[in-house]
Amino acid sequence: MAVLTESRKASLRRELEAIVGAGAVLADPDELLVYESDGLTLLRALADFVVFPVSAEQVSALVRLANRESLPFVARGAGTGLSGGCLPAEGGLVISLMRMNRVLEVDYDNQLAVVEPGLVNLHLSWTVGARGYYYAPDPSSQQACTLGGNIANNSGGPHTLKYGVTTNHVLGLEVVLPDGEIVWLGGRTRARAGYDLVGVFVGSEGTFGIATKIVVRLLRKPPAVKTVLAVFDAIDHASAAVSAIIARGLVPAAVEMIDQLTIQAVEDAFGCGYPRDAAAALLVELDGLPFGMEAQAARIVQACRDAGAREVRTARDEAERQLLWKGRKSAFGAYGRISPAYMVMDGVIPRTKLPYVLRRVNEIVAAHGLRVGNVFHAGDGNLHPNILYDPRRPGEEARVVAAGAAIMRLCAEVGGSISGEHGIGLEKSDFMPLIFSAADLALMQRLKRAFNPTGLCNPGKIFPTSKSCAEVGPVASRPHAIEEKGLAQRF
Amino acid sequence: MQDALLDGLRGVVGPANVRTGIELGPWVVEGRTPDAAVFPASTEEVAGVVALAAEADVPVVPWGGGTAAAVGSPAARTGLVLGLSRMSRLVEHEPGDLTATVEAGITVAALQAALAGRGQWLSLDPPDAERATLGGVLAADASGPRRHLYGTARDLLIGVAVVTAEGAFVRGGGKVVKNVAGYDLPKLFIGSYGTLGVVVEATLRLRPLPEAERLVGVSFDRLKDAGAAVRALLASDLIPNAVELLDGAAAAALGAGVAPGAALVVGFDGLEEQVAWQCEELARLCAPLGGREARALPPETWPRLAPAARAALGLPAATMTLTVLPMQVAETMEQGANAARARGFVTAWAAHAGVGVVSAALAAEPAPPGPLAAVLAEWREMAHAGGGQATLEWAPLAVKAQVPVWDDPGAAGRLMQGIKRELDPRNILNPGRFVAGI
Ligand SMILES: Cc1cc2nc3c(=O)[nH]c(=O)nc-3n(C[C@H](O)[C@H](O)[C@H](O)COP(=O)(O)OP(=O)(O)OC[C@H]3O[C@@H](n4cnc5c(N)ncnc54)[C@H](O)[C@@H]3O)c2cc1C
């Protein structure tokens, strides 16, 4: 990437300011630092400019300018991504959508909302909550992450076990294509003339353009909810309980697993009522009609007991339920208190392989001389091993990366995937050949060319670097060198 | 067709699996006889067939059960029918993972029967389950009444294997229920009508069979009131798995058990006590809105729901699908019927009301092509006015000549053409049948 001269930079800055206004362009190195990484602070890169448009027309003008100058550009939401997805190429534009954060329209009768991409996920559910509706996909980062980021990463959450991930809830998108044209994909109805471009755009990690309006489905809040905590003295038993629940034909809204290290961290930090000596706990939530809820809960309890649970209890009231969920959702924050840094993995495996894979994950991390906490969406087999480390200790980061690679290989070996919800981004791009053939990747490249022929829109993501095509190498070989800095706590 | 190509095809799939000449009757579409029909038995054979066709620049028409073969713009060129009926295995079913992998040629009915044996099902209920194949259902994005709760193919397909226009074997997605690695290729192939690749294998997420399921029909004197009942139902705490709205003609086609008049037909599943309670609640909810007694309908009614409008008119002159906002469904049905009546046409209407998908059929008698096209154009206008779309599902060629089958996809059409060019540069996969000239 050619480096911009100072005079070129100054004139570009004036042009950018003409598009978005003087207060909406950052170019000072100090200010740009804030945008050099996302939730995965192992990887960093500096943009030339960060800009804050307020309309699709502004986004389009920015993209056209970038094209004219052959400058790479990348959309950025809240920057909570965990795969380096919104990192700029070295130089270029970061287009932040944070000022486009309005709920434009709520149509309760037709159960949909039209929102801007910078809207924070949870704020949508707050907006429609009073009328008894909510937006179902609930990433654990929902207090901060944006709908635009969710679209790009096809984000999930605990309740996606029953309700599906982001893609199952998006009806239409207004998109600024990589050449600057503004188009609608899909709309408010279920209609589609032609290919499912909404389905293809969701999960494209910001490489197909920038979403500027999003039409999402709203759901009625379930009339009844029941939350069960099952406590186990062995991880294997907890894993077996997950299979047992599924095998009995039960479809809970969520089945989350939390292991001992995580329980202890959470209890130290927040005191959420998990037994500190448990090897693992399952948080199982049922929702739906009040009728039959007791009967279903009884079956869940029985399945857990049969699998060897030492204690199974139901949250007595909403306060206790919230506390249990707080423990689950604040696990990442709790790790921050017991370790200077941690790396979140995101593999997926067939559910029946859970006992074996969890055992192997723990062995792998121990063999690398590190500690791991597991807190994850067990119901759909989406693992989140969190490898704890201290970046100041020489060599430790390299071991984290090696352990992470081994875990991805393990997931691929058992027929799984290397990412369930965090995306490939920069972090895992070199691991794509673990699960996709050269022909698979070539077809994806062709699809990318149809949207993004110049490649200026979010370059360097998803696809393996040409070096690594033959052989899967570690992340450390990327141009974005792993640097000696711990993960900053976000919230 | 050149003999050399036929010989090549026979070499790939065996002479017994290449049909030509007068044997081609079952694959005639809109009066056009294909050059040949070939039936490969493996992915390698599919790739071999496509490669030969590509080399000879002969179009390939992937063919499942043929239930949607007539959907689309009239083909400009004839080609090779590539039938998948010999690839119909259930490759893998792991109940503990709630997933199954199938070959594209398996019929929906055969798959459901195999899954039911182990207490599970694919929560997709397209019409014609005995004939429709999984590959065809995906390519046509076919669905049925239960989509109200369980969605469509896009919510169930987690992995796909295709043979590309160049004869390469490509996989997208995977075998696990949650997966964001790489682009979502399964979505790309759903509803692509065989224009981007030949689907040879699919991996699907499954559900446990519900313990109980019931279908309830409530009759109304006025469609409008049934529409009001839909609104009340969707705003209630009930969790139906199907919400169907039918006019008097379509309701009558459902068979015995349905009282005369417009009908709201609602399905519930779950535990017995949940189903029973919801059926009672539905009756309570409909009564003040003009709903006459709620009757339980026999299970045979299920497959009759989606095709009810068509079935009501025997052999209709044309059928159209209008996709509108859920709250516009009843009005669309009434307005559409009025518009047709004003031109002397009898119609029948049925809708997946909760998701806003409306099927309309026009009676054949009396039906001179001129006014018929005018009615269809008016319907399309109606759908567009509410932000929706319309597809001419079935019509004689004379009508297709006047009314486009597909809506204009607008600016997105350019993207679609770009995707088609990238994936099928020689334009041999089902050319000319799809939107935007694809
Ligand atoms: C503590 C914590 C918990 C988390 N828990 C979960 C979880 O449970 N489930 C889950 O799925 N993820 C989770 N994540 C990951 C992350 O929050 C999600 O990926 C989220 O969707 C990112 O949103 P964002 O607004 O922060 O996007 P960013 O990080 O800013 O960007 C992510 C990607 O989206 C693209 N993008 C942003 N806006 C747009 C737009 N308008 N148009 C096109 N592309 C755009 C970017 O280019 C980038 O590729 C978690 C992260 C943290 C830090």
Side-chain angles (χ1 to χ4, degrees), chain B residues 29-132:
Chain B
V29 174
E30 297 182 325
R32 276 181 172 276
T33 307
D35 298 337
V38 290
F39 298 87
S42 68
T43 297
E44 292 70 28
E45 289 185 12
V46 172
V49 169
V50 174
L52 283 177
E55 209 173 292
D57 195 30
V58 171
V60 172
V61 180
W63 190 285
T67 61
V71 180
S73 314
R77 304 191 273 163
T78 58
L80 203 61
V81 163
L82 193 162
L84 289 142
S85 53
R86 293 177 68 216
M87 295 178 64
S88 57
R89 282 182 316 138
L90 171 57
V91 179
E92 194 181 331
H93 174 211
E94 177 49 75
D97 291 330
L98 283 169
T99 57
T101 299
V102 300
E103 287 183 332
I106 193 171
T107 64
V108 174
L111 173 60
Q112 299 289 24
L115 298 175
R118 304 183 75 175
Q120 299 187 345
W121 68 304
L122 172 67
S123 54
L124 191 62
D125 56 350
D128 255 334
E130 301 289 335
R131 284 173 63 212

Side-chain angles (χ1 to χ4, degrees), chain A residues 109 181 195 351-352 417, chain B residues 97 155 171 179 195 231 414:
Chain A
D109 279 343
E181 186 182 359
Y195 303 133
R351 291 170 264 220
T352 45
S417 171
Chain B
D97 291 330
D155 303 297
R171 284 186 187 282
N179 185 2
T195 60
R231 173 190 295 259
R414 183 175 62 86

Side-chain angles (χ1 to χ4, degrees), chain B residues 214-218 254 256-259 265 295-301 305:
Chain B
R214 208 164 305 154
L215 200 56
V216 182
V218 187
L254 292 181
V258 183
V265 176
R295 294 188 192 167
L297 303 178
E300 308 88 81
T301 314
L305 285 165

Side-chain angles (χ1 to χ4, degrees), chain A residues 95-447:
Chain A
I95 300 177
S96 166
L97 283 309
M98 293 308 277
R99 291 190 189 171
M100 293 174 65
N101 62 357
R102 289 175 301 167
V103 176
L104 297 174
E105 186 193 330
V106 181
D107 180 345
Y108 291 102
D109 279 343
N110 290 302
Q111 308 195 347
L112 62 87
V114 185
V115 307
E116 290 185 321
L119 180 70
V120 169
N121 174 299
L122 191 57
H123 295 180
L124 177 55
S125 288
W126 283 348
T127 305
V128 299
R131 292 276 301 266
Y133 290 85
Y134 76 116
Y135 174 66
D138 59 341
S140 304
S141 52
Q142 69 182 150
Q143 303 190 32
C145 67
T146 66
L147 267 297
N150 294 171
I151 296 293
N153 285 351
N154 192 13
S155 301
H159 290 82
T160 53
L161 174 60
K162 178 167 174 183
Y163 293 103
V165 290
T166 300
T167 194
N168 306 113
H169 297 269
V170 181
L171 293 169
L173 297 168
E174 181 195 68
V175 170
V176 174
L177 293 177
D179 66 2
E181 186 182 359
I182 303 174
V183 302
W184 267 97
L185 315 178
R188 289 161 201 240
T189 68
R190 302 296 200 280
R192 286 203 319 267
Y195 303 133
D196 182 3
L197 297 185
V198 172
V200 170
F201 190 94
V202 175
S204 62
E205 300 196 27
T207 63
F208 286 177
I210 300 178
T212 46
K213 287 195 185 76
I214 305 169
V215 187
V216 293
R217 292 169 58 205
L218 300 175
L219 298 189
R220 297 260 317 153
K221 281 193 213 167
V225 183
K226 207 170 199 68
T227 307
V228 174
L229 181 72
V231 180
F232 297 85
D233 286 327
I235 288 209
D236 270 5
H237 294 167
S239 303
V242 175
S243 302
I245 289 169
I246 306 266
R248 289 181 197 205
L250 298 163
V251 185
V255 179
E256 301 284 303
M257 194 191 294
I258 310 171
D259 72 358
Q260 184 168 51
L261 183 144
T262 311
I263 288 175
Q264 292 180 352
V266 164
E267 287 305 309
D268 287 347
F270 308 109
C272 295
Y274 290 85
R276 301 178 49 95
D277 62 335
L282 284 185
L283 192 59
V284 185
E285 188 151 284
L286 288 165
D287 70 11
L289 297 171
F291 266 84
M293 187 68 85
E294 288 302 331
Q296 275 173 301
R299 285 193 223 181
I300 300 269
V301 169
Q302 198 52 50
C304 291
R305 291 235 162 85
D306 291 350
R310 105 175 169 213
E311 180 197 341
V312 190
R313 65 181 153 98
T314 350
R316 278 174 306 260
D317 50 26
E318 185 56 22
E320 186 177 354
R321 174 175 172 261
Q322 289 295 349
L323 201 59
L324 289 174
W325 274 109
K326 183 179 176 204
R328 162 62 184 94
K329 293 211 171 188
S330 57
F332 289 140
Y335 292 136
R337 304 207 182 186
I338 61 167
S339 176
Y342 63 94
M343 164 118 151
V344 187
M345 308 296 303
D346 179 39
V348 195
I349 54 158
R351 291 170 264 220
T352 45
K353 302 285 197 311
L354 204 50
Y356 166 73
V357 171
L358 270 187
R359 235 177 289 137
R360 285 288 300 135
V361 163
N362 290 333
E363 284 166 17
I364 287 169
V365 179
H368 285 81
L370 297 162
R371 288 190 300 163
V372 63
N374 288 287
V375 52
F376 65 102
H377 314 303
D380 36 34
N382 188 183
L383 308 177
H384 288 323
N386 300 284
I387 307 176
L388 310 186
Y389 69 101
D390 185 346
R392 287 160 309 197
R393 281 201 217 117
E396 210 159 287
E397 273 178 351
R399 277 186 281 134
V400 172
V401 170
I407 291 171
M408 282 192 256
R409 281 198 192 90
L410 171 65
C411 292
E413 267 162 36
V414 299
S417 171
I418 58 174
S419 183
E421 53 184 22
H422 295 164
I424 300 301
L426 270 182
E427 181 206 18
K428 294 185 275 287
S429 57
D430 282 348
F431 294 89
M432 287 287 274
L434 283 177
I435 52 172
F436 292 113
S437 71
D440 302 344
L441 292 170
L443 191 129
M444 290 185 203
Q445 287 277 18
R446 289 184 182 201
L447 182 59

Side-chain angles (χ1 to χ4, degrees), chain B residues 11 56 154 197 327:
Chain B
R154 76 193 301 284
M327 290 307 123

